Amino acid sequence: MSLESKVTEEIQTALENNDTHAAALITRMYLKDLDSIPLNIAVTGESGSGKSTFVNAFRGIDHEDERAAPTDVVESTMEPEAYPHPIYPNVTVWDLPGIGTTKFPAHQYLKHVDFEKFDFFIIVSSDRFRENDAKLAQEIMKMGKTFYFVRAKIDSNLLSAEKSQKKKYDKEKTLQKIKENCIQGLEEQGVTAPQVFLVSNFDLHLYDFPTLQETMERDLPSHKRDTLILALPNISQSIIKKKKELRTSLEPVTL
């Protein structure tokens, strides 16, 4: 039984016993727990891939905000940088040094960044995924962690394709070709059935981010999933609805 189901059952039992005080207390404790359950998301990729912009977008932070990850400097950090969510500080998005910028091979890289603390990894690229990305994914898989490939800067690619192809330009075919090329390249480097999501860091509601969001929710245990839902940026009515349903489902009702 999931934690959410267990809590809902306890609330229902309290209501059946006409103990609305207990039901309200259980609800408050669970919602308080959601605000304290740690969720650590690791974002990695080569310098210039758009990972810092993705970190900010995921947190709903503008790049000019003082809490934002810097996006206009050459990457030089050799250590993970923590960026807490502005509303839910228990949710932290980590900007990891790109594996290509370190002296560590993939298996040592994960130990260097303390991979155990991360709930899942997002590997970002602005063009094709390279050998280092594939090796890192394979090491993450060996260690039993979940990872996703995010192909960023899709809006720039579409703009370039539209200008170069003119009347022959087909947006959906261009998107499909980009995804197929990414998947094919990763498979050629030994990654089995890679999950690739096309994302615009400036318009998260477009392209594959909603699918990425749903996939992350499905892969996380229930209590972590609820924490993720609360922390997601309000980029769609679907996310807003899920947040409302999550809190409403735990509100005690009078029998």
Side-chain angles (χ1 to χ4, degrees):
M1 179 183 293
S2 69
L3 179 60
E4 181 185 1
S5 298
K6 184 175 184 295
V7 171
T8 302
E9 184 178 288
E10 289 177 353
I11 293 173
Q12 186 64 30
T13 300
L15 291 174
E16 289 173 353
N17 293 329
N18 294 319
D19 193 345
T20 56
H21 175 73
L25 181 60
I26 294 168
T27 300
R28 285 197 299 271
M29 290 301 295
Y30 181 69
L31 291 176
K32 183 179 179 181
D33 285 344
L34 285 184
D35 292 342
S36 60
I37 292 172
L39 181 64
N40 290 286
I41 303 167
V43 180
T44 186
E46 293 187 351
S47 179
S49 64
K51 63 189 178 74
S52 295
T53 305
F54 181 84
V55 167
N56 294 333
F58 198 96
R59 296 160 62 229
I61 293 285
D62 185 88
H63 72 278
E64 295 181 348
D65 192 296
E66 62 180 8
R67 298 165 295 179
T71 59
D72 57 352
V73 295
V74 176
E75 181 174 2
S76 60
T77 179
M78 293 295 104
E79 301 297 332
E81 294 285 346
Y83 293 97
H85 190 279
I87 299 175
Y88 300 98
N90 54 306
V91 178
T92 306
V93 184
W94 294 79
D95 190 351
L96 304 189
I99 188 170
T101 64
T102 74
K103 61 183 179 181
F104 302 101
H107 66 285
Q108 292 181 11
Y109 172 89
L110 287 177
K111 294 178 182 178
H112 176 67
V113 300
D114 192 14
F115 81 97
E116 284 288 357
K117 70 184 173 189
F118 301 118
D119 291 284
F120 57 86
F121 292 76
I122 295 175
I123 304 172
V124 181
S125 177
S126 60
D127 43 57
R128 65 184 179 86
F129 292 94
R130 306 181 189 280
E131 181 181 4
N132 283 329
D133 299 317
K135 286 182 177 179
L136 178 59
Q138 290 165 337
E139 289 299 322
I140 294 171
M141 186 183 300
K142 287 178 184 177
M143 296 182 176
K145 294 284 186 174
T146 304
F147 62 90
Y148 311 98
F149 291 103
V150 165
R151 175 62 162 75
K153 301 186 179 181
I154 289 299
D155 36 12
S156 298
N157 298 131
L158 290 177
L159 182 60
S160 297
E162 185 176 12
K163 288 182 177 180
S164 63
Q165 298 172 13
K166 301 186 184 302
K167 292 183 179 180
K168 294 183 179 180
Y169 171 71
D170 185 307
K171 179 180 177 181
E172 293 306 318
K173 286 184 178 179
T174 301
L175 290 170
Q176 186 63 28
K177 183 178 180 180
I178 291 172
K179 180 173 288 190
E180 288 175 353
N181 286 344
C182 288
I183 292 174
Q184 181 181 350
L186 286 165
E187 288 178 337
E188 289 174 353
Q189 296 180 79
V191 181
T192 304
Q195 298 185 85
V196 177
F197 301 88
L198 310 185
V199 171
S200 165
N201 289 336
F202 298 104
D203 294 294
L204 285 184
H205 64 286
L206 300 176
Y207 316 119
D208 289 342
F209 186 82
T211 306
L212 172 61
Q213 161 217 323
E214 292 171 1
T215 305
M216 292 186 295
E217 289 177 31
R218 185 177 64 244
D219 291 344
L220 284 169
S222 61
H223 61 296
K224 295 269 186 176
R225 178 200 65 212
D226 293 344
T227 299
L228 173 69
I229 290 173
L230 291 177
L232 286 168
N234 293 329
I235 59 169
S236 68
Q237 288 300 316
S238 173
I239 292 177
I240 294 171
K241 182 181 178 181
K242 285 182 178 181
K243 291 182 180 183
K244 183 177 180 181
E245 288 176 347
L246 173 59
R247 292 189 177 276
T248 301
S249 68
L250 294 169
E251 289 179 357
V253 293
T254 304
L255 292 176

